[in-house]
Amino acid sequence: MRVVICGGGVIGACTAYFLRRRGVDVIVVERAEVAAAASGKAGGFLARDWCAGTPLDGLARRSFALHAQLPQEIAGDWGYRPMSAYAGYVAPDGDPRRSTPSVLGWLSDGVVITQRIGTTETTAIVHPQKFTSAVMNAALSQGAELRRGRVTGIVRDATRAKGVAVEGSIIDADAVVIAMGPWSLLAAQWMSLPAVYGQRSPSIVYDIGPNVPADALFLECETDRSTVSIEVFPRADGSTHVTALSDIAPLPLDPAAVTPDRDAITRLQAMSQRLSPLFRPDKIIAQQACFRPVTEDGLPLIGRVSQSDGLYVATGHNVWGILNAPATGEAMAQLIADGTTREVDLAPFDPARLAPLDPSLLQAR
């Protein structure tokens, strides 16, 4: 059996890895680089039970457990480590707590921590680009193949997907997986697929050394007369990812063309400098943006695509893409190889739950 996976992000990498563990032939097609988009520019934060009470709970719990196991199974160091998480706010000018030292010593005065919302048992972090690359390399070392190119269509007969078209050439396949993040939207030209949207998230990465404790922060900060949520993720390699100010913007056809809004980066840098004296301009190693894939109802699309045997999709994970990638890849491998899943019920993520996008809406693209 041969499976072609369209997309070399974290979902595609994990799907390739778990398929190869089952002995399935795998070809991954990626137009840019492995982890070129959100999989390389995300925060990498993991939470075991933050999806409790939602359809994502089982997927998140299984994936959190797999994240803890994979460092023992895959070569490489992607900075997996348990961490704590805290909520709080930045006291504005005139607030009595503006000059009060923070309970976390590496933060500036007036950064008020109100509660701990994650412990080393329930929250952790990875470096997303290193994680994605390590998983892909593990799949390749087990016999998977990575091909560069842009997928331009699905090859099929009357009832079944038979392969993919890649810029004029055909790759034969018994099954095809669409895992192109927000660019999965383009696949609605070739199959019955719900809309996938892209939400742009700017971020700044600082190199502030390994001395910052493993404390993720979720803070409210007043800026320009509005309250903004800002997230801070210190990583094991000494880098710290800071993000806020997500917005809606046109999705470039080429992932390499994604750029941050300059005003958003300027505002984010000012907010970061208010949080800690460690966030100095000379410590910036990246100013970037990525588009997170989201769906109409906020749940991912994971499973078979209707009206065509052998066609599958795995995208739309929004902020939980890095977290839920291992369990998604495991479930996709089981579904393709066995026709069913064991650890995770994919019914809530069935693509058929949402109306398909009208392909004519994409013709101008």
PDB file of all heavy atoms in Angstrom, residues 57 113 227:
ATOM      1  N   ASP A  57     -11.147  16.751  23.730  1.00  0.00           N
ATOM      2  CA  ASP A  57     -10.525  16.273  24.962  1.00  0.00           C
ATOM      3  C   ASP A  57      -9.771  14.961  24.766  1.00  0.00           C
ATOM      4  O   ASP A  57      -8.613  14.840  25.166  1.00  0.00           O
ATOM      5  CB  ASP A  57     -11.586  16.119  26.062  1.00  0.00           C
ATOM      6  CG  ASP A  57     -10.969  15.798  27.417  1.00  0.00           C
ATOM      7  OD1 ASP A  57      -9.961  16.437  27.779  1.00  0.00           O
ATOM      8  OD2 ASP A  57     -11.498  14.903  28.114  1.00  0.00           O
ATOM      9  N   ILE A 113       0.746  38.082  38.655  1.00  0.00           N
ATOM     10  CA  ILE A 113       0.340  36.693  38.445  1.00  0.00           C
ATOM     11  C   ILE A 113      -0.850  36.406  39.355  1.00  0.00           C
ATOM     12  O   ILE A 113      -0.759  36.546  40.575  1.00  0.00           O
ATOM     13  CB  ILE A 113       1.496  35.727  38.746  1.00  0.00           C
ATOM     14  CG1 ILE A 113       2.694  36.041  37.850  1.00  0.00           C
ATOM     15  CG2 ILE A 113       1.036  34.287  38.566  1.00  0.00           C
ATOM     16  CD1 ILE A 113       2.416  35.960  36.373  1.00  0.00           C
ATOM     17  N   THR A 227      -7.670  45.886  25.602  1.00  0.00           N
ATOM     18  CA  THR A 227      -7.000  44.817  26.330  1.00  0.00           C
ATOM     19  C   THR A 227      -6.596  43.722  25.356  1.00  0.00           C
ATOM     20  O   THR A 227      -7.424  43.235  24.574  1.00  0.00           O
ATOM     21  CB  THR A 227      -7.902  44.240  27.420  1.00  0.00           C
ATOM     22  OG1 THR A 227      -8.257  45.293  28.333  1.00  0.00           O
ATOM     23  CG2 THR A 227      -7.195  43.133  28.183  1.00  0.00           C
TER      24      THR A 227
END
